[in-house]
Amino acid sequence: MADLRKSDIAAQVAGKLGGSKVEGERALNAVLSSIHESLADGNKVVLTGFGSFSVREVKARKVKPIRGGQAGQLITVPAHKRVGFTAGADLNKAAQS
């Protein structure tokens, strides 16, 4: 199993659109930029069949670091936001194959 990089996906997009790699990269960047902007505005992004992206709140919690000068002592990880992804039905089926 190989890693698929952004440039590889852009080349595949170009092939499916019948354009150049530059056009494929431009199209991919436009989609990624739209997702980024929507999440930054606090919106949920739903790509039917593929999955959904959303901004999730993570509560503050105490953890024990395993390395560094404070190893073994409880430290507080502050509350923050993170991006979550939930795979859609079609993507789950493809992953099972």
Side-chain angles (χ1 to χ4, degrees):
M1 186 181 302
D3 292 341
L4 194 63
R5 307 225 183 265
K6 184 178 173 184
S7 60
D8 301 325
I9 296 171
Q12 287 182 352
V13 168
K16 291 179 189 263
L17 295 176
S20 68
K21 286 185 181 180
V22 172
E23 291 171 330
E25 187 171 348
R26 196 174 299 141
L28 179 59
N29 285 337
V31 170
L32 296 177
S33 176
S34 296
I35 293 171
H36 184 272
E37 290 168 7
S38 295
L39 291 172
D41 290 341
N43 299 318
K44 183 176 181 178
V45 177
V46 179
L47 303 171
T48 304
F50 181 76
S52 62
F53 297 90
S54 61
V55 177
R56 299 178 183 170
E57 299 282 337
V58 178
K59 294 179 183 178
R61 64 188 188 279
K62 297 204 179 273
V63 297
K64 287 184 182 180
I66 57 173
R67 288 185 272 186
Q70 296 179 331
Q73 300 172 354
L74 285 178
I75 61 170
T76 300
V77 176
H80 58 280
K81 295 179 181 179
R82 69 173 181 85
V83 174
F85 176 76
T86 303
D90 293 345
L91 185 59
N92 275 328
K93 284 181 186 176
Q96 300 300 320
S97 299

